[in-house]
Coordinates of all heavy atoms in Angstrom, one line a residue:
M19 N 0.8 -1.2 0.0 CA 0.0 0.0 0.0 C 0.9 1.3 0.0 O 0.6 2.2 -0.8 CB -0.9 -0.1 1.2 CG -1.8 1.2 1.4 SD -3.1 1.2 0.2 CE -4.0 2.5 0.7
T20 N 1.8 1.3 0.9 CA 2.7 2.5 1.0 C 3.5 2.6 -0.3 O 3.9 3.7 -0.7 CB 3.6 2.5 2.2 OG1 4.4 1.3 2.1 CG2 2.8 2.5 3.5
Y21 N 3.9 1.5 -0.9 CA 4.6 1.6 -2.2 C 3.8 2.3 -3.2 O 4.3 3.1 -4.0 CB 4.9 0.1 -2.7 CG 5.3 0.1 -4.1 CD1 6.5 0.6 -4.6 CD2 4.4 -0.4 -5.1 CE1 6.9 0.6 -5.9 CE2 4.7 -0.4 -6.4 CZ 5.9 0.1 -6.8 OH 6.3 0.1 -8.2
L22 N 2.5 2.0 -3.3 CA 1.6 2.7 -4.3 C 1.6 4.2 -4.0 O 1.6 5.0 -5.0 CB 0.3 2.1 -4.3 CG 0.2 0.6 -4.8 CD1 -1.2 0.1 -4.6 CD2 0.6 0.6 -6.3
V23 N 1.5 4.6 -2.8 CA 1.4 6.0 -2.4 C 2.7 6.7 -2.8 O 2.7 7.7 -3.5 CB 1.1 6.2 -0.9 CG1 1.2 7.6 -0.5 CG2 -0.2 5.6 -0.6
F24 N 3.9 6.1 -2.4 CA 5.1 6.7 -2.8 C 5.3 6.7 -4.3 O 5.9 7.7 -4.9 CB 6.3 6.0 -2.1 CG 6.5 6.3 -0.7 CD1 6.5 5.3 0.3 CD2 6.6 7.6 -0.3 CE1 6.7 5.6 1.6 CE2 6.8 8.0 1.0 CZ 6.8 7.0 2.0
S25 N 4.9 5.7 -5.0 CA 5.0 5.7 -6.4 C 4.2 6.8 -7.1 O 4.7 7.4 -8.0 CB 4.6 4.3 -6.9 OG 4.6 4.3 -8.3
Q26 N 3.0 7.0 -6.6 CA 2.2 8.1 -7.2 C 2.8 9.4 -6.9 O 2.7 10.3 -7.7 CB 0.8 8.0 -6.6 CG 0.0 6.8 -7.1 CD -0.2 6.8 -8.6 OE1 -0.5 7.9 -9.2 NE2 0.0 5.7 -9.2
I27 N 3.3 9.6 -5.7 CA 3.9 10.9 -5.3 C 5.1 11.2 -6.2 O 5.3 12.3 -6.8 CB 4.4 10.9 -3.8 CG1 3.1 11.0 -3.0 CG2 5.3 12.1 -3.5 CD1 3.4 10.8 -1.5
L28 N 6.0 10.2 -6.4 CA 7.2 10.3 -7.3 C 6.8 10.6 -8.7 O 7.4 11.3 -9.4 CB 8.1 9.1 -7.1 CG 8.8 8.9 -5.8 CD1 9.6 7.7 -5.8 CD2 9.7 10.1 -5.5
Q29 N 5.7 9.9 -9.2 CA 5.2 10.2 -10.5 C 4.7 11.6 -10.7 O 4.9 12.3 -11.7 CB 4.1 9.2 -10.9 CG 3.7 9.3 -12.3 CD 2.6 8.2 -12.6 OE1 2.1 7.5 -11.8 NE2 2.3 8.1 -13.9
G30 N 4.0 12.1 -9.6 CA 3.6 13.5 -9.7 C 4.7 14.5 -9.7 O 4.7 15.5 -10.4
V31 N 5.7 14.2 -8.9 CA 6.9 15.1 -8.9 C 7.6 15.1 -10.2 O 8.0 16.1 -10.7 CB 7.9 14.7 -7.7 CG1 9.2 15.4 -7.8 CG2 7.3 14.9 -6.4
S32 N 7.7 13.9 -10.8 CA 8.3 13.8 -12.1 C 7.5 14.6 -13.2 O 8.1 15.3 -14.0 CB 8.4 12.3 -12.5 OG 9.0 12.2 -13.8
T33 N 6.2 14.5 -13.1 CA 5.4 15.2 -14.1 C 5.5 16.7 -13.8 O 5.6 17.5 -14.8 CB 3.9 14.8 -13.9 OG1 3.8 13.4 -14.1 CG2 3.0 15.6 -14.9
F34 N 5.6 17.2 -12.6 CA 5.8 18.6 -12.3 C 7.1 19.1 -12.8 O 7.2 20.2 -13.4 CB 5.8 18.8 -10.8 CG 6.1 20.2 -10.4 CD1 5.2 21.3 -10.6 CD2 7.3 20.5 -9.8 CE1 5.6 22.5 -10.2 CE2 7.7 21.7 -9.4 CZ 6.8 22.8 -9.6
L35 N 8.2 18.3 -12.7 CA 9.5 18.7 -13.2 C 9.5 18.7 -14.7 O 10.2 19.6 -15.3 CB 10.6 17.7 -12.7 CG 10.9 17.8 -11.2 CD1 11.8 16.6 -10.8 CD2 11.5 19.1 -10.9
T36 N 8.7 17.9 -15.4 CA 8.6 17.9 -16.8 C 7.9 19.3 -17.2 O 8.3 19.9 -18.2 CB 7.8 16.8 -17.4 OG1 8.4 15.5 -17.0 CG2 7.6 16.8 -18.9
V37 N 6.9 19.7 -16.5 CA 6.2 21.0 -16.8 C 7.2 22.1 -16.6 O 7.3 23.0 -17.4 CB 5.0 21.1 -15.9 CG1 4.4 22.5 -16.0 CG2 3.9 20.1 -16.3
V38 N 8.0 22.1 -15.5 CA 9.0 23.1 -15.3 C 10.0 23.2 -16.4 O 10.4 24.2 -16.9 CB 9.6 23.0 -13.9 CG1 10.8 23.9 -13.7 CG2 8.6 23.2 -12.8
Y39 N 10.5 22.0 -16.8 CA 11.4 21.9 -18.0 C 10.8 22.6 -19.2 O 11.5 23.3 -19.9 CB 11.7 20.4 -18.2 CG 12.5 20.2 -19.5 CD1 13.8 20.3 -19.5 CD2 11.8 19.8 -20.7 CE1 14.5 20.0 -20.7 CE2 12.5 19.5 -21.8 CZ 13.8 19.7 -21.8 OH 14.5 19.4 -23.0
C40 N 9.6 22.3 -19.5 CA 8.9 22.9 -20.7 C 8.8 24.4 -20.5 O 9.0 25.1 -21.5 CB 7.5 22.3 -20.9 SG 7.6 20.5 -21.4
L41 N 8.5 24.9 -19.3 CA 8.5 26.4 -19.1 C 9.8 27.0 -19.4 O 9.9 28.1 -20.0 CB 8.0 26.7 -17.7 CG 6.5 26.6 -17.5 CD1 6.2 26.8 -16.0 CD2 5.8 27.6 -18.3
V42 N 10.9 26.4 -18.9 CA 12.2 27.0 -19.1 C 12.5 26.9 -20.6 O 13.1 27.9 -21.2 CB 13.3 26.2 -18.3 CG1 14.7 26.7 -18.7 CG2 13.1 26.4 -16.8
F43 N 12.2 25.9 -21.3 CA 12.4 25.8 -22.7 C 11.6 26.8 -23.5 O 12.1 27.5 -24.4 CB 12.1 24.4 -23.2 CG 12.4 24.2 -24.7 CD1 13.7 24.0 -25.1 CD2 11.3 24.1 -25.6 CE1 14.0 23.8 -26.5 CE2 11.6 23.9 -27.0 CZ 12.9 23.8 -27.4
L44 N 10.3 27.0 -23.1 CA 9.5 28.1 -23.7 C 10.1 29.5 -23.5 O 10.1 30.3 -24.3 CB 8.1 28.0 -23.2 CG 7.2 27.1 -23.8 CD1 5.8 27.0 -23.1 CD2 6.9 27.5 -25.3
Y45 N 10.6 29.7 -22.3 CA 11.3 30.9 -21.9 C 12.4 31.2 -22.9 O 12.6 32.4 -23.4 CB 11.8 30.9 -20.5 CG 12.7 32.0 -20.1 CD1 12.2 33.3 -19.8 CD2 14.1 31.9 -20.1 CE1 13.0 34.3 -19.4 CE2 14.9 32.9 -19.7 CZ 14.3 34.1 -19.3 OH 15.2 35.2 -19.0
C46 N 13.2 30.2 -23.2 CA 14.3 30.4 -24.1 C 13.8 30.7 -25.6 O 14.3 31.6 -26.2 CB 15.2 29.2 -24.2 SG 16.1 28.8 -22.7
I47 N 12.9 30.0 -26.0 CA 12.4 30.1 -27.4 C 11.6 31.5 -27.5 O 11.8 32.2 -28.5 CB 11.4 28.9 -27.8 CG1 12.2 27.6 -27.8 CG2 10.8 29.2 -29.1 CD1 13.4 27.6 -28.7
M48 N 10.8 31.8 -26.6 CA 10.0 33.0 -26.6 C 10.9 34.2 -26.5 O 10.6 35.3 -27.1 CB 8.9 33.0 -25.6 CG 7.8 32.0 -25.8 SD 6.6 32.0 -24.5 CE 5.6 33.4 -24.9
G49 N 12.0 34.1 -25.8 CA 12.9 35.2 -25.7 C 13.6 35.6 -27.0 O 14.0 36.7 -27.2
L50 N 13.6 34.6 -27.9 CA 14.2 34.9 -29.2 C 13.2 35.6 -30.2 O 13.6 36.4 -31.0 CB 14.7 33.6 -29.9 CG 15.8 32.9 -29.2 CD1 16.0 31.5 -29.8 CD2 17.1 33.7 -29.3
F51 N 11.9 35.3 -30.0 CA 10.9 35.7 -31.0 C 9.9 36.7 -30.6 O 9.3 37.4 -31.4 CB 10.2 34.5 -31.6 CG 11.1 33.5 -32.3 CD1 11.4 32.3 -31.7 CD2 11.8 33.8 -33.4 CE1 12.2 31.4 -32.3 CE2 12.7 33.0 -34.0 CZ 12.9 31.7 -33.5
L52 N 9.6 36.8 -29.3 CA 8.6 37.7 -28.8 C 9.2 39.0 -28.1 O 10.3 38.9 -27.6 CB 7.7 37.0 -27.8 CG 6.8 35.9 -28.3 CD1 5.9 35.4 -27.2 CD2 5.8 36.5 -29.4
R53 N 8.3 40.0 -28.2 CA 8.7 41.2 -27.4 C 8.5 40.9 -25.9 O 7.7 40.2 -25.5 CB 7.9 42.4 -27.9 CG 8.1 42.8 -29.3 CD 7.2 43.9 -29.7 NE 5.8 43.5 -29.5 CZ 4.8 44.3 -29.4 NH1 5.0 45.6 -29.4 NH2 3.6 43.9 -29.2
S54 N 9.2 41.7 -25.1 CA 9.1 41.5 -23.7 C 7.8 42.0 -23.1 O 7.5 41.8 -22.0 CB 10.3 42.1 -23.0 OG 10.3 43.5 -23.2
A55 N 7.1 42.8 -23.9 CA 5.8 43.3 -23.4 C 4.6 42.3 -23.5 O 3.5 42.6 -23.1 CB 5.4 44.6 -24.2
S56 N 4.9 41.2 -24.1 CA 3.8 40.1 -24.3 C 3.4 39.6 -22.9 O 4.3 39.2 -22.1 CB 4.3 39.0 -25.1 OG 3.5 37.9 -25.1
P57 N 2.1 39.5 -22.6 CA 1.7 39.1 -21.3 C 2.1 37.6 -21.0 O 2.4 37.2 -19.9 CB 0.2 39.3 -21.3 CG -0.2 39.6 -22.6 CD 1.0 40.0 -23.4
I58 N 2.1 36.8 -22.1 CA 2.5 35.4 -21.9 C 3.9 35.3 -21.5 O 4.3 34.5 -20.6 CB 2.2 34.6 -23.2 CG1 0.7 34.6 -23.4 CG2 2.7 33.2 -23.1 CD1 0.3 34.0 -24.8
Y59 N 4.8 36.1 -22.2 CA 6.2 36.1 -21.9 C 6.5 36.6 -20.5 O 7.3 36.1 -19.8 CB 6.9 36.9 -23.0 CG 8.4 36.9 -22.8 CD1 9.1 35.7 -23.0 CD2 9.1 38.0 -22.4 CE1 10.5 35.6 -22.9 CE2 10.5 38.0 -22.3 CZ 11.2 36.8 -22.5 OH 12.5 36.7 -22.3
Q60 N 5.7 37.6 -20.1 CA 5.9 38.2 -18.8 C 5.5 37.1 -17.7 O 6.3 37.0 -16.7 CB 4.9 39.4 -18.6 CG 5.3 40.6 -19.4 CD 6.5 41.3 -18.8 OE1 6.7 41.3 -17.6 NE2 7.3 41.9 -19.7
F61 N 4.5 36.4 -17.9 CA 4.1 35.3 -17.0 C 5.2 34.2 -16.9 O 5.6 33.8 -15.8 CB 2.8 34.6 -17.4 CG 2.5 33.4 -16.7 CD1 2.0 33.5 -15.4 CD2 2.6 32.2 -17.3 CE1 1.7 32.3 -14.7 CE2 2.4 31.0 -16.5 CZ 1.9 31.1 -15.2
I62 N 5.7 33.8 -18.0 CA 6.7 32.8 -18.1 C 8.0 33.3 -17.4 O 8.7 32.6 -16.7 CB 7.0 32.3 -19.5 CG1 5.8 31.5 -19.9 CG2 8.2 31.4 -19.6 CD1 5.8 30.9 -21.3
C63 N 8.3 34.6 -17.6 CA 9.5 35.2 -17.0 C 9.4 35.1 -15.5 O 10.3 34.8 -14.8 CB 9.7 36.6 -17.5 SG 10.4 36.7 -19.1
R64 N 8.2 35.5 -15.0 CA 8.0 35.5 -13.5 C 8.0 34.1 -13.0 O 8.4 33.9 -11.8 CB 6.6 36.2 -13.2 CG 6.8 37.7 -13.2 CD 5.5 38.3 -12.7 NE 4.7 38.5 -14.0 CZ 3.4 38.4 -14.1 NH1 2.7 38.1 -13.0 NH2 2.8 38.5 -15.2
A65 N 7.6 33.1 -13.7 CA 7.6 31.7 -13.2 C 9.0 31.1 -13.3 O 9.3 30.3 -12.4 CB 6.6 30.9 -14.1
V66 N 9.8 31.5 -14.3 CA 11.1 30.9 -14.5 C 12.2 31.6 -13.8 O 13.2 31.0 -13.4 CB 11.3 30.7 -16.0 CG1 12.8 30.3 -16.3 CG2 10.4 29.8 -16.6
D67 N 12.1 32.9 -13.6 CA 13.2 33.7 -13.0 C 13.7 33.1 -11.7 O 15.0 33.1 -11.5 CB 12.8 35.1 -12.9 CG 14.0 36.0 -12.6 OD1 15.0 35.8 -13.2 OD2 13.9 36.8 -11.7
P68 N 12.9 32.7 -10.7 CA 13.5 32.2 -9.5 C 14.3 30.9 -9.7 O 15.2 30.6 -8.9 CB 12.2 31.9 -8.7 CG 11.2 32.7 -9.2 CD 11.4 32.9 -10.7
L69 N 14.0 30.2 -10.8 CA 14.8 29.0 -11.1 C 16.1 29.3 -11.7 O 17.1 28.6 -11.5 CB 14.0 28.0 -12.0 CG 12.7 27.5 -11.5 CD1 11.9 26.8 -12.6 CD2 12.9 26.6 -10.3
L70 N 16.1 30.4 -12.5 CA 17.4 30.8 -13.2 C 18.3 31.5 -12.2 O 19.5 31.5 -12.4 CB 17.1 31.7 -14.4 CG 16.2 31.1 -15.5 CD1 15.9 32.1 -16.5 CD2 16.9 29.9 -16.1
R71 N 17.8 32.2 -11.2 CA 18.6 33.1 -10.4 C 19.8 32.4 -9.7 O 20.9 33.0 -9.7 CB 17.7 33.7 -9.3 CG 18.3 34.9 -8.7 CD 17.3 35.6 -7.8 NE 16.1 36.1 -8.5 CZ 14.9 36.0 -8.1 NH1 14.6 35.5 -6.9 NH2 13.9 36.4 -8.8
P72 N 19.7 31.2 -9.2 CA 20.9 30.6 -8.6 C 22.0 30.3 -9.6 O 23.2 30.2 -9.2 CB 20.4 29.2 -8.1 CG 18.9 29.3 -8.0 CD 18.5 30.3 -9.0
F73 N 21.7 30.2 -10.9 CA 22.7 29.9 -11.9 C 23.3 31.2 -12.6 O 24.2 31.1 -13.4 CB 22.2 29.0 -13.0 CG 21.7 27.7 -12.4 CD1 20.4 27.4 -12.2 CD2 22.7 26.7 -12.1 CE1 20.0 26.2 -11.7 CE2 22.3 25.5 -11.5 CZ 20.9 25.2 -11.3
R74 N 22.7 32.3 -12.3 CA 23.1 33.6 -13.0 C 24.5 34.0 -12.6 O 25.3 34.5 -13.5 CB 22.1 34.7 -12.6 CG 20.8 34.5 -13.3 CD 20.7 35.3 -14.6 NE 19.7 34.9 -15.5 CZ 18.4 35.3 -15.5 NH1 18.1 36.3 -14.6 NH2 17.6 34.9 -16.3
P75 N 25.0 33.9 -11.3 CA 26.4 34.2 -11.0 C 27.4 33.4 -11.8 O 28.4 34.0 -12.3 CB 26.5 34.0 -9.5 CG 25.2 34.1 -9.0 CD 24.3 33.6 -10.1
L76 N 27.2 32.1 -12.0 CA 28.1 31.3 -12.8 C 28.0 31.7 -14.2 O 29.0 31.8 -14.9 CB 27.7 29.8 -12.6 CG 28.5 28.8 -13.4 CD1 30.0 28.9 -13.0 CD2 28.0 27.4 -13.3
A77 N 26.8 32.0 -14.7 CA 26.7 32.4 -16.1 C 27.4 33.8 -16.4 O 28.0 33.9 -17.4 CB 25.2 32.6 -16.5
R78 N 27.3 34.7 -15.4 CA 28.1 36.0 -15.5 C 29.6 35.7 -15.6 O 30.3 36.4 -16.4 CB 27.7 36.9 -14.4 CG 26.5 37.6 -14.6 CD 26.3 38.7 -13.5 NE 24.9 38.8 -13.3 CZ 24.3 38.5 -12.1 NH1 25.0 38.0 -11.1 NH2 23.0 38.6 -12.0
K79 N 30.1 34.8 -14.8 CA 31.5 34.5 -14.8 C 31.9 33.9 -16.2 O 33.0 34.3 -16.7 CB 31.9 33.5 -13.7 CG 31.9 34.1 -12.3 CD 32.2 33.1 -11.3 CE 32.1 33.7 -9.9 NZ 32.4 32.7 -8.9
L80 N 31.1 33.1 -16.7 CA 31.4 32.5 -18.0 C 31.3 33.6 -19.1 O 32.1 33.6 -20.1 CB 30.4 31.4 -18.3 CG 30.6 30.1 -17.5 CD1 29.5 29.1 -17.8 CD2 32.0 29.5 -17.7
I81 N 30.4 34.5 -19.0 CA 30.3 35.6 -20.0 C 31.5 36.5 -19.9 O 32.0 36.9 -20.9 CB 29.0 36.4 -19.8 CG1 27.8 35.6 -20.2 CG2 29.0 37.7 -20.5 CD1 26.4 36.2 -19.9
L82 N 32.0 36.8 -18.7 CA 33.2 37.6 -18.6 C 34.4 36.9 -19.1 O 35.4 37.5 -19.6 CB 33.4 37.9 -17.1 CG 32.5 38.9 -16.5 CD1 32.7 39.1 -15.0 CD2 32.5 40.3 -17.2
R83 N 34.4 35.6 -19.2 CA 35.5 34.8 -19.8 C 35.4 34.6 -21.3 O 36.2 33.9 -21.9 CB 35.6 33.5 -19.1 CG 36.1 33.6 -17.6 CD 36.3 32.2 -17.1 NE 36.7 32.3 -15.7 CZ 37.9 32.0 -15.2 NH1 38.8 31.6 -16.1 NH2 38.2 32.2 -14.0
G84 N 34.4 35.2 -21.9 CA 34.3 35.2 -23.3 C 33.1 34.4 -23.9 O 33.0 34.4 -25.1
L85 N 32.3 33.8 -23.1 CA 31.1 33.1 -23.6 C 30.1 34.2 -24.1 O 29.9 35.2 -23.5 CB 30.5 32.3 -22.6 CG 29.5 31.3 -23.0 CD1 30.1 30.2 -23.9 CD2 28.8 30.6 -21.8
R86 N 29.5 34.0 -25.2 CA 28.7 35.0 -25.9 C 27.2 35.0 -25.5 O 26.5 35.8 -26.0 CB 28.8 34.8 -27.4 CG 30.2 34.9 -27.9 CD 30.5 36.3 -28.3 NE 31.8 36.3 -28.8 CZ 32.6 37.4 -28.8 NH1 32.1 38.5 -28.2 NH2 33.8 37.4 -29.3
F87 N 26.7 34.0 -24.7 CA 25.3 33.9 -24.4 C 25.1 33.5 -23.0 O 26.0 32.9 -22.3 CB 24.6 33.0 -25.4 CG 25.1 31.6 -25.4 CD1 24.5 30.7 -24.6 CD2 26.1 31.3 -26.3 CE1 25.0 29.4 -24.6 CE2 26.6 30.0 -26.3 CZ 26.0 29.0 -25.5
D88 N 23.9 33.7 -22.5 CA 23.6 33.4 -21.1 C 23.3 31.9 -21.0 O 22.4 31.3 -21.7 CB 22.3 34.2 -20.7 CG 21.9 33.9 -19.2 OD1 22.8 33.4 -18.5 OD2 20.8 34.3 -18.9
V89 N 24.0 31.2 -20.2 CA 23.9 29.7 -20.0 C 23.0 29.3 -18.9 O 22.9 28.1 -18.6 CB 25.3 29.0 -20.0 CG1 26.0 29.2 -21.2 CG2 26.0 29.5 -18.8
S90 N 22.5 30.3 -18.1 CA 21.7 30.0 -17.0 C 20.4 29.1 -17.3 O 20.1 28.2 -16.5 CB 21.3 31.2 -16.2 OG 20.6 32.1 -16.9
P91 N 19.7 29.3 -18.4 CA 18.6 28.4 -18.7 C 19.1 27.0 -19.0 O 18.5 26.0 -18.6 CB 18.0 29.0 -20.0 CG 18.3 30.4 -20.0 CD 19.7 30.5 -19.3
F92 N 20.3 26.9 -19.7 CA 20.9 25.5 -20.0 C 21.2 24.8 -18.6 O 20.9 23.6 -18.5 CB 22.1 25.7 -20.8 CG 22.8 24.4 -21.1 CD1 22.2 23.4 -21.9 CD2 24.0 24.2 -20.6 CE1 22.9 22.2 -22.2 CE2 24.7 23.0 -20.8 CZ 24.1 22.0 -21.6
L93 N 21.8 25.6 -17.7 CA 22.2 25.0 -16.4 C 20.9 24.6 -15.6 O 20.9 23.6 -15.0 CB 23.1 25.9 -15.6 CG 24.4 26.2 -16.3 CD1 25.1 27.3 -15.5 CD2 25.3 25.0 -16.3
T94 N 19.9 25.4 -15.7 CA 18.6 25.1 -15.0 C 18.0 23.8 -15.6 O 17.6 23.0 -14.8 CB 17.7 26.3 -15.2 OG1 18.3 27.5 -14.7 CG2 16.4 26.0 -14.4
I95 N 18.0 23.7 -16.9 CA 17.5 22.5 -17.5 C 18.3 21.3 -17.1 O 17.7 20.2 -16.8 CB 17.4 22.7 -19.1 CG1 16.3 23.6 -19.5 CG2 17.2 21.3 -19.8 CD1 16.2 24.0 -20.9
L96 N 19.6 21.4 -17.1 CA 20.4 20.3 -16.6 C 20.1 19.9 -15.2 O 20.0 18.7 -14.9 CB 21.9 20.6 -16.8 CG 22.5 20.5 -18.1 CD1 24.0 21.0 -18.1 CD2 22.4 19.1 -18.7
A97 N 19.9 20.9 -14.3 CA 19.6 20.6 -12.9 C 18.2 19.9 -12.8 O 18.0 19.0 -12.0 CB 19.6 21.9 -12.1
I98 N 17.2 20.4 -13.6 CA 15.9 19.8 -13.6 C 16.0 18.3 -14.1 O 15.4 17.4 -13.5 CB 14.9 20.6 -14.5 CG1 14.6 21.9 -13.8 CG2 13.6 19.8 -14.7 CD1 13.9 22.9 -14.7
L99 N 16.7 18.1 -15.2 CA 16.8 16.7 -15.7 C 17.5 15.8 -14.7 O 17.1 14.6 -14.5 CB 17.6 16.7 -17.0 CG 16.8 17.3 -18.2 CD1 17.7 17.4 -19.4 CD2 15.6 16.5 -18.5
L100 N 18.6 16.3 -14.0 CA 19.2 15.5 -13.0 C 18.3 15.2 -11.8 O 18.2 14.0 -11.4 CB 20.5 16.3 -12.5 CG 21.2 15.6 -11.3 CD1 21.9 14.3 -11.8 CD2 22.2 16.5 -10.7
L101 N 17.5 16.2 -11.4 CA 16.6 15.9 -10.3 C 15.5 14.9 -10.7 O 15.1 14.1 -10.0 CB 15.9 17.3 -9.9 CG 15.1 17.3 -8.7 CD1 15.9 16.8 -7.5 CD2 14.6 18.7 -8.4
Q102 N 15.1 15.1 -12.0 CA 14.0 14.1 -12.5 C 14.6 12.7 -12.5 O 13.9 11.7 -12.2 CB 13.6 14.6 -13.8 CG 12.3 13.8 -14.3 CD 11.8 14.4 -15.6 OE1 12.5 15.0 -16.4 NE2 10.5 14.3 -15.8
R103 N 15.9 12.6 -12.9 CA 16.5 11.2 -13.0 C 16.6 10.6 -11.6 O 16.4 9.4 -11.4 CB 17.9 11.3 -13.6 CG 17.9 11.6 -15.0 CD 17.3 10.5 -15.9 NE 17.3 11.0 -17.2 CZ 16.4 10.6 -18.1 NH1 15.5 9.7 -17.8 NH2 16.5 11.0 -19.4
L104 N 16.9 11.5 -10.6 CA 17.0 11.0 -9.2 C 15.6 10.6 -8.7 O 15.5 9.6 -8.0 CB 17.5 12.1 -8.3 CG 19.0 12.4 -8.5 CD1 19.4 13.6 -7.6 CD2 19.8 11.2 -8.1
V105 N 14.6 11.3 -9.1 CA 13.2 10.9 -8.7 C 12.8 9.6 -9.3 O 12.3 8.7 -8.7 CB 12.2 12.0 -9.1 CG1 10.8 11.5 -9.0 CG2 12.4 13.2 -8.2
L106 N 13.1 9.4 -10.6 CA 12.8 8.2 -11.3 C 13.7 7.0 -10.7 O 13.2 5.9 -10.6 CB 13.0 8.3 -12.8 CG 12.1 9.2 -13.5 CD1 12.4 9.4 -14.9 CD2 10.6 8.8 -13.4
W107 N 14.9 7.3 -10.4 CA 15.7 6.3 -9.7 C 15.1 5.9 -8.4 O 15.1 4.7 -8.0 CB 17.2 6.8 -9.6 CG 18.1 5.8 -9.0 CD1 18.6 4.7 -9.6 CD2 18.5 5.7 -7.6 NE1 19.4 4.0 -8.7 CE2 19.3 4.6 -7.4 CE3 18.2 6.5 -6.5 CZ2 19.9 4.2 -6.2 CZ3 18.8 6.1 -5.3 CH2 19.6 5.0 -5.2
G108 N 14.6 6.9 -7.6 CA 14.0 6.6 -6.4 C 12.8 5.7 -6.5 O 12.5 4.8 -5.8
A109 N 12.0 6.0 -7.6 CA 10.8 5.1 -7.9 C 11.2 3.7 -8.2 O 10.6 2.7 -7.8 CB 10.0 5.7 -9.0
F110 N 12.3 3.6 -9.0 CA 12.8 2.2 -9.4 C 13.3 1.5 -8.1 O 13.1 0.3 -8.0 CB 13.9 2.4 -10.4 CG 14.5 1.1 -10.8 CD1 13.8 0.2 -11.6 CD2 15.8 0.8 -10.4 CE1 14.4 -1.0 -12.0 CE2 16.4 -0.4 -10.7 CZ 15.7 -1.3 -11.5
W111 N 14.0 2.2 -7.3 CA 14.5 1.6 -6.0 C 13.4 1.1 -5.2 O 13.5 0.1 -4.6 CB 15.4 2.7 -5.3 CG 16.0 2.1 -4.1 CD1 17.1 1.3 -4.0 CD2 15.6 2.4 -2.7 NE1 17.4 1.0 -2.7 CE2 16.5 1.7 -1.9 CE3 14.6 3.1 -2.2 CZ2 16.4 1.7 -0.5 CZ3 14.5 3.1 -0.8 CH2 15.4 2.4 0.0
L112 N 12.3 1.9 -5.1 CA 11.2 1.5 -4.3 C 10.5 0.2 -4.9 O 10.0 -0.6 -4.1 CB 10.1 2.6 -4.2 CG 10.4 3.7 -3.2 CD1 9.3 4.8 -3.3 CD2 10.4 3.2 -1.8
R113 N 10.5 0.1 -6.2 CA 10.0 -1.0 -6.8 C 10.7 -2.3 -6.5 O 10.2 -3.4 -6.5 CB 9.9 -0.8 -8.3 CG 9.0 -1.7 -9.1 CD 8.8 -1.3 -10.5 NE 8.1 0.0 -10.5 CZ 8.2 0.9 -11.5 NH1 9.0 0.7 -12.5 NH2 7.5 2.0 -11.5
L114 N 12.0 -2.2 -6.3 CA 12.9 -3.3 -6.0 C 12.7 -3.8 -4.6 O 12.9 -5.0 -4.3 CB 14.3 -3.0 -6.2 CG 14.8 -2.8 -7.7 CD1 16.3 -2.4 -7.7 CD2 14.5 -4.0 -8.5
R115 N 12.2 -3.0 -3.7 CA 12.1 -3.4 -2.3 C 10.9 -4.2 -2.0 O 9.9 -4.5 -2.3 CB 12.1 -2.2 -1.4 CG 13.5 -1.6 -1.4 CD 13.5 -0.5 -0.3 NE 14.8 -0.7 0.3 CZ 15.1 -0.8 1.5 NH1 14.1 -0.8 2.4 NH2 16.3 -1.0 2.0

């Protein structure tokens, strides 16, 4: 019984992380093509900015060393994918017990 509960919770967390991944990806794509005055883009910026903020200092250091673009969305996506893999690994580990 508890296995089913934990499995459902982990599946929900994994789905949430997939949605967050899609929002960060949309932020990158919309930043290329839309004006910043768009209400949809404003909403996505407000939703994604707290996730990008921890990676901005590292991105600034890389930009100062010669990198030509902001890598904070890329680093955020990598962190989300790593966290999602850990959640899926946790679900697999629970299945083995």
